[in-house]
């Protein structure tokens, strides 16, 4: 069925670094036209991520000044204002650019939001839709046709929109740390989008996840696959992890928190253990005793987004039902401020999803 594409659309525009006032809901944003090799999708759902907030706040610092107002990329800023954010986009193709088969019109697709900028598997020059170009907090979005993936699943659009950024980030973290079947991984920030994804992704690999989460979220963590749960902020972390693991060595720490926990997490790791991180919600500047790292032969991995191969593996997990969606709440685009306020409060498990209407 052909879809009539209007000339203007509603969207949320990021107009600069700052508070929620920098997010402007507009009803007269021009609908983008798909360029050669691109498709235009009518957006039906878009998941929310920490990156949305940190980019708005300019909270990434620089290598010279961690407190500087700066955006996501360390080298070569691609963010211009106004920008439509939103990475975890699901929608239906309604138009195609030159060189794209018109038979694709009507497909329901999940967007691989990565702008790879290279033909190999290196992520050294990675960027993303919602930063280097407009994303999915809008009624329509144009993107390269190769980034629009049909997923063989009966999940709803809202459910499908919970996966992409969080699960791709989590899968890349585990891939870099080489988490293997039978190993034990400690997951901090486990109730958030990436943390809850890692718990499921670890199970998909045959590994044993132990969650660190806030009070009141223990049952939810067990329900999605955690072997045991350590309640954050209650007693000595190392002792609590040892009790939760039954004395099993911790092979990998997947850390999304950072801050004061960092050095304790390195102490918890077994000799030759691997630490991997893609977030620092409790503080990006940490104290590191290098002796702990070198005397225990530890590996430390920084990770962000994922490769094309990681994305294909994620799609396979969805289609094989090895992972499941966790919808923490749904908000109309017109209530975007409320959605982001609730998101920052972190009183939910999984992902918040924004829908155009």
């Amino acid at each position: 069925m052909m879809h009539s594409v209007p000339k203007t659309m509603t969207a949320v525009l990021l107009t600069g670094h700052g508070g929620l006032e920098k997010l402007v809901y507009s009803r007269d944003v021009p609908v983008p036209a798909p360029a050669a090799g691109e498709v235009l999708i009518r957006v039906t759902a878009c998941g929310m991520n920490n990156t949305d907030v940190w980019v708005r706040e300019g909270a990434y610092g620089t290598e010279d000044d961690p407190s500087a107002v700066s955006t996501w990329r360390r080298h070569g800023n691609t963010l211009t204002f106004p920008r439509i954010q939103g990475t975890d986009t699901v929608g239906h193709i309604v138009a195609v650019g030159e060189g794209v088969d018109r038979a694709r019109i009507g497909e329901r697709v999940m967007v691989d939001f990565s702008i790879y900028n290279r033909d190999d598997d290196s992520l050294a020059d990675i960027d993303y839709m919602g930063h280097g170009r407009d994303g999915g907090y809008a009624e329509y979005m144009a993107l390269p046709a190769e980034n629009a993936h049909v997923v063989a699943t009966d999940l709803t659009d809202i459910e499908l929109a919970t996966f992409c950024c969080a699960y791709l980030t989590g899968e890349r973290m585990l891939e870099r740390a080489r988490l293997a079947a039978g190993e034990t991984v400690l997951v901090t920030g486990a109730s958030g989008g990436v943390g809850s994804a890692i718990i499921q992704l670890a199970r998909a690999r045959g590994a044993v996840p132990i969650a660190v989460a806030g009070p009141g979220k223990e049952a939810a963590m067990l329900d999605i696959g955690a072997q045991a749960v350590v309640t954050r902020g209650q007693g000595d972390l190392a002792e609590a992890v040892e009790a939760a693991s039954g004395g099993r060595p911790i092979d990998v720490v997947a850390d999304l928190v950072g801050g004061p926990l960092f050095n304790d997490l390195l102490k918890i790791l077994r000799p030759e253990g691997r630490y991997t991180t893609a977030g620092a919600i409790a503080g990006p500047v940490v104290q590191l005793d290098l002796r702990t790292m070198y005397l225990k032969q530890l590996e430390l991995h920084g990770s962000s987004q994922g490769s094309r191969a990681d994305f294909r593996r994620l799609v396979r997990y969805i289609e094989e039902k090895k992972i499941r969606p966790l919808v923490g709440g749904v908000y109309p685009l017109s209530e975007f401020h409320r959605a982001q306020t609730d998101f920052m409060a972190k009183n939910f498990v999984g992902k918040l999803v924004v829908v155009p209407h």
Side-chain angles (χ1 to χ4, degrees):
M1 179 182 296
M2 296 296 293
H3 176 85
S4 178
V5 179
K7 293 183 178 180
T8 61
M9 64 181 181
T10 58
V12 173
L13 303 175
L14 178 65
T15 59
H17 293 306
L20 291 174
E21 76 282 354
K22 296 297 184 180
L23 295 168
V24 177
Y25 177 75
S26 176
R27 296 180 181 273
D28 59 356
V29 178
V31 173
E38 294 188 346
V39 297
L40 178 71
I41 66 171
R42 178 176 56 84
V43 176
T44 52
C46 188
M48 187 169 287
N49 293 282
N50 282 322
T51 307
D52 299 328
V53 178
W54 281 46
V55 166
R56 169 174 59 77
E57 294 176 342
Y60 283 97
T62 66
E63 292 178 349
D64 296 322
D65 181 4
S67 64
V69 174
S70 179
T71 189
W72 182 81
R73 277 170 59 101
R74 274 288 189 256
H75 303 288
N77 179 36
T78 59
L79 177 66
T80 57
F81 302 113
R83 172 65 75 220
I84 301 172
Q85 295 181 290
T87 59
D88 289 17
T89 312
V90 172
H92 300 255
I93 296 177
V94 295
V96 298
E98 182 181 351
V100 180
D101 189 347
R102 288 184 57 82
R104 296 206 62 183
I105 294 175
E107 290 180 353
R108 183 182 78 152
V109 296
M110 181 172 75
V111 174
D112 177 359
F113 63 96
S114 294
I115 303 172
Y116 293 101
N117 291 319
R118 297 172 62 129
D119 294 329
D120 59 18
D121 286 335
S122 171
L123 301 183
D125 194 30
I126 197 78
D127 200 354
Y128 71 90
M129 301 173 199
H131 184 274
R133 63 181 290 164
D134 286 339
Y137 292 142
E139 290 183 292
Y140 293 89
M141 175 184 173
L143 65 142
E146 65 184 5
N147 289 68
H149 294 262
V150 174
V151 183
T153 176
D154 57 2
L155 294 174
T156 68
D157 294 1
I158 287 171
E159 290 171 328
L160 199 56
T162 64
F163 287 114
C164 193
C165 184
Y167 285 71
L168 185 65
T169 299
E171 180 63 14
R172 184 63 179 176
M173 290 172 69
L174 299 185
E175 186 71 6
R176 292 211 67 188
R178 306 185 309 282
L179 181 69
E183 290 191 316
T184 301
V185 56
L186 182 70
V187 185
T188 68
S191 64
V194 179
S196 57
I198 290 173
I199 291 174
Q200 296 190 62
L201 293 165
R203 286 296 189 189
R205 288 171 174 255
V208 180
I210 296 174
V212 180
K217 297 177 179 178
E218 296 88 350
M221 297 297 93
L222 294 172
D223 180 62
I224 63 174
Q227 183 75 13
V229 183
V230 174
T231 305
R232 187 183 67 244
Q234 295 187 5
D236 181 83
L237 180 63
E239 292 178 359
V241 170
E242 183 174 11
S245 68
R248 292 172 61 105
I250 302 300
D251 302 286
V252 172
V253 165
D255 182 24
L256 302 161
V257 175
L261 287 181
F262 176 76
N263 209 46
D264 284 341
L265 296 173
L266 298 193
K267 290 192 295 183
I268 287 167
L269 272 173
R270 67 164 172 82
E272 297 185 338
R274 290 96 70 196
Y275 170 94
T276 180
T277 183
I281 57 176
V285 180
V286 298
Q287 186 175 26
L288 168 62
D289 187 335
L290 287 171
R291 296 166 296 186
T292 300
M293 186 173 74
Y294 70 71
L295 291 174
K296 292 179 68 176
Q297 313 281 344
L298 300 180
E299 295 180 27
L300 275 64
H301 295 276
S303 185
S304 183
Q305 288 180 231
S307 68
R308 295 176 181 89
D310 297 325
F311 187 88
R312 289 193 297 270
R313 201 160 47 249
L314 174 60
V315 170
R316 188 175 75 247
Y317 287 154
I318 296 171
E319 293 180 339
E320 294 175 353
K321 299 183 179 181
K322 290 185 176 180
I323 53 178
R324 61 187 174 96
L326 298 170
V327 181
V330 181
Y331 299 78
L333 195 63
S334 59
E335 296 184 20
F336 194 86
H337 281 198
R338 181 170 70 89
Q340 198 151 98
T341 298
D342 289 351
F343 180 87
M344 291 185 291
K346 301 296 181 187
N347 294 322
F348 60 94
V349 173
K351 294 291 292 289
L352 301 187
V353 179
V354 176
V355 296
H357 301 289

